[in-house]
Amino acid sequence: MNIYNAGQTRDIEAAIAASGVAYLQMMEQAGQAVAEHLLNRNKATPHKTKVVFLCGRGNNGGDGLVAARRLCLEGWDVSVIFPGGTSKTPDSMYMLEQLKTLSVSILDPSPSPDQEEFCFSLIQSAHWIVDALFGIGFHGILDEPYSRYIKAVGESCATVVSIDIPSGAHCDTGCVQGPCIQADDTVTFFTYKPVHLIYPAAQYCGKVFVEPLFYTQSLGESIPTAQHTLSFEEVKKWFPARHPNSHKGTFGKLLCICGKAGMTGAAELSAKAAMRCGAGLTYLMTPKDACAALSCKLTEPVLIPLDQSPEGTLSEQSLPAILEQLSSASACLIGCGMGDNIHTQTILEAVLQHAKCPVIVDADGINALSHHIDRVKQSTASIILTPHPGEMSRLTGKSTAEIQENRLHTAKEFVQQYPVTLVLKGAGTIVATPDGQTWINSTGNPGMAKGGSGDVLAGMIAAFVAQGMEVGKAAAAAVYLHGLAGDRCAQCFSQHAMLASDLIQMLPRVFLDLEK
């Protein structure tokens, strides 16, 4: 599914208007969709019909006024509060006049602050609160009087529904710089916006419901966007049925250069994940002491013991053997549990220099690369980097806080500067490619925040690339399915108890569904 930012959303609205649908009609449809959402949500508790609308002066407030009118006609107890003054846009003003003909309590406390206590009492006694203060055009920090109302909403026991985005969040960046409505549900229109998927704003959205309204596929395709989120059905199309006349060579040779003595878990997890994701042949090259430890745990991959340094990492002396295997590989994964010293830095440099196949650089490989990041510009191979925010900090020189404040911009900026596909891990993992495409992931949960989860993801990406999938799609598909496996693990084992190895055990069930 495409993701549209604020400007592109306005372009969609303009295209709809050009097709003959007035903006006033769009507002009517949006408000009716919000009302329908509340009516459906309230079926289990039909006696809870006291609703308070917090409306802004613009068109987002107008959407709320339409929903308020519909719920009033359905017999709900409706109150409308304008914390910052009443409607100012023509369409919103028209909807306000329509609402005034009904028995709705309409309060504008801005000229008489004494009314605020009454407004706060309405909020505290409400069953439902609808946030229609600010929409996709909001920037900055909400100040008074809005911050007082957001605090009151946070202290209430009502179910909170935001229209389009939670007020206080930034649509295009997912940034939250001050007070923000914490919604239980967010009802948005046409398609997802970045705010719904990028943290921290995504956590304020609650569950997001996309209402198509007048949106048509042809109109959507007429508005260009390079931002996407995946659905299961979309990912499924990227995994065609395997041809009956196939053999192990059909599905690629993956070379994994991972592990060090005493640190074999990352190598084990990445190799097992790769095998579970369909790689035909997996070769694991690792220091000889690590190989001895792994030989009783791994049976399917081909284990190749190599010379090791005094620190237990791969030695530079292993380079001829590595380059020989690299020459026939269809993908190479390097870095998982590898360690970062002069030996691993030299090996990584040689791999990037000589590889003719795509190279996936993870974990310690990224740490080694951070010393000489410009090496990626000298490589002819397709490169995928998979940093978490801390590793991204080492690659860019930015603080982790700076990266997290605007993850989407950070990812896009990086791939414009360096010719790589970037997988910026974290809640709402972002995949960005040099041609400007980005995917924002919608799967996964906090239970995956455990050591080893990233190694599983690296193995998955490498396996898909080894089988011939285009690198951007391989990264996006792996991130989506990795998160989906995590969500299913959480259902089976809980977020607290699930392990990275459980993700691998869940992959066969995920692929069973893909093959249906």
Side-chain angles (χ1 to χ4, degrees):
M1 179 184 289
N2 289 340
I3 300 170
Y4 290 99
N5 61 29
Q8 292 164 334
T9 301
R10 294 189 186 96
D11 290 341
I12 292 175
E13 292 172 347
I16 294 172
S19 72
V21 179
Y23 282 97
L24 197 65
Q25 289 177 272
M26 283 185 252
M27 182 178 287
E28 181 71 28
Q29 287 289 313
Q32 293 288 348
V34 173
E36 285 293 333
H37 177 81
L38 268 73
L39 289 167
N40 289 331
R41 283 275 267 123
N42 199 47
K43 285 180 179 178
T45 54
H47 60 288
K48 294 186 176 182
T49 58
K50 187 174 184 179
V51 58
V52 172
F53 284 79
L54 296 178
C55 290
R57 294 181 294 178
N59 287 340
N60 191 258
D63 296 342
L65 295 173
V66 173
R69 170 166 34 94
R70 168 67 186 281
L71 292 178
C72 178
L73 294 173
E74 292 286 340
W76 285 42
D77 179 359
V78 180
S79 299
V80 175
I81 301 172
F82 288 94
T86 57
S87 304
K88 294 298 182 184
T89 62
D91 289 348
S92 184
M93 291 169 66
Y94 175 84
M95 295 305 182
L96 179 57
E97 293 304 312
Q98 296 289 305
L99 190 64
K100 286 179 178 178
T101 64
L102 304 176
S103 57
V104 174
S105 177
I106 301 174
L107 301 166
D108 176 8
S110 59
S112 53
D114 291 343
Q115 282 194 1
E116 276 199 347
E117 288 305 317
F118 177 64
C119 292
F120 292 156
S121 69
L122 288 175
I123 290 171
Q124 293 307 310
S125 62
H127 299 126
W128 302 87
I129 297 171
V130 178
D131 161 33
L133 289 172
F134 294 94
I136 59 175
F138 174 78
H139 293 282
I141 301 175
L142 284 179
D143 53 14
E144 302 295 357
Y146 299 106
S147 58
R148 293 197 296 272
Y149 284 86
I150 289 176
K151 183 175 184 291
V153 170
E155 293 171 348
S156 77
C157 296
T159 300
V160 181
V161 178
S162 285
I163 299 180
D164 228 2
I165 71 174
S167 295
H170 292 202
C171 177
D172 293 355
T173 67
C175 182
V176 177
Q177 296 178 308
C180 185
I181 290 286
Q182 176 62 66
D184 296 289
D185 297 349
T186 295
V187 180
T188 191
F189 313 110
F190 311 130
T191 187
Y192 285 105
K193 285 80 175 174
V195 65
H196 301 133
L197 298 164
I198 299 177
Y199 288 79
Q203 73 190 40
Y204 289 91
C205 293
K207 189 172 182 180
V208 180
F209 298 82
V210 180
E211 295 292 339
L213 304 185
F214 289 104
Y215 174 84
T216 66
Q217 189 66 31
S218 60
L219 281 173
E221 291 172 352
S222 71
I223 309 299
T225 182
Q227 298 177 155
H228 318 278
T229 189
L230 287 173
S231 67
F232 186 83
E233 291 306 314
E234 288 174 299
V235 174
K236 187 173 182 178
K237 294 176 183 177
W238 295 353
F239 290 86
R242 293 191 163 200
H243 195 280
N245 186 24
S246 300
H247 54 84
K248 59 189 176 184
T250 305
F251 303 110
K253 173 186 173 181
L254 172 60
L255 173 61
C256 298
I257 306 170
C258 301
K260 62 179 285 190
M263 295 282 287
T264 59
E268 178 186 354
L269 289 168
S270 58
K272 283 184 174 180
M275 296 298 293
R276 281 295 187 191
C277 287
L281 290 163
T282 299
Y283 287 70
L284 174 56
M285 306 189 84
T286 193
K288 57 184 180 182
D289 286 354
C291 192
L294 287 165
S295 61
C296 61
K297 299 179 179 180
L298 296 172
T299 53
E300 289 90 352
V302 177
L303 298 179
I304 303 177
L306 297 177
D307 292 334
Q308 66 185 47
S309 70
E311 297 90 352
T313 66
L314 286 172
S315 165
E316 295 178 29
Q317 304 303 315
S318 62
L319 260 177
I322 289 174
L323 296 181
E324 180 182 357
Q325 290 294 335
L326 182 65
S327 65
S328 60
S330 53
C332 174
L333 169 62
I334 182 169
C336 301
M338 188 182 182
D340 177 18
N341 58 24
I342 189 63
H343 295 275
T344 55
Q345 292 169 28
T346 300
I347 290 169
L348 175 65
E349 179 183 351
V351 167
L352 294 179
Q353 180 182 350
H354 291 90
K356 304 301 180 185
C357 63
V359 179
I360 298 86
V361 185
D362 184 56
D364 283 330
I366 293 173
N367 293 328
L369 183 62
S370 67
H371 302 291
H372 304 284
I373 182 60
D374 284 338
R375 296 276 164 78
V376 299
K377 296 180 178 179
Q378 301 161 10
S379 177
T380 59
S382 296
I383 299 172
I384 301 176
L385 303 182
T386 61
H388 57 58
E391 291 162 347
M392 194 67 185
S393 175
R394 292 188 276 280
L395 287 175
T396 62
K398 295 181 178 181
S399 69
T400 301
E402 287 178 284
I403 290 166
Q404 293 295 79
E405 185 175 320
N406 198 337
R407 288 166 52 82
L408 186 59
H409 174 74
T410 298
K412 288 182 174 181
E413 182 182 57
F414 189 84
V415 298
Q416 289 172 359
Q417 187 174 0
Y418 299 102
V420 303
T421 293
L422 181 75
V423 180
L424 180 54
K425 295 185 291 193
T429 293
I430 295 169
V431 177
T433 64
D435 64 359
Q437 299 296 310
T438 57
W439 286 271
I440 306 173
N441 191 45
S442 60
T443 60
N445 63 81
M448 301 173 70
K450 295 186 175 77
S453 293
D455 301 305
V456 173
L457 175 61
M460 294 176 67
I461 296 171
F464 296 158
V465 173
Q467 292 168 77
M469 189 179 289
E470 185 271 323
V471 293
K473 287 185 175 180
V479 168
Y480 178 88
L481 295 176
H482 179 256
L484 181 61
D487 290 338
R488 295 188 180 183
C489 283
Q491 292 173 353
C492 291
F493 308 120
S494 81
Q495 291 185 9
H496 280 81
M498 61 182 285
L499 301 173
S501 56
D502 294 328
L503 299 173
I504 300 173
Q505 299 306 314
M506 190 61 66
L507 287 173
R509 302 184 195 181
V510 171
F511 279 99
L512 274 174
D513 290 339
L514 280 176
E515 292 177 2
K516 287 180 181 177

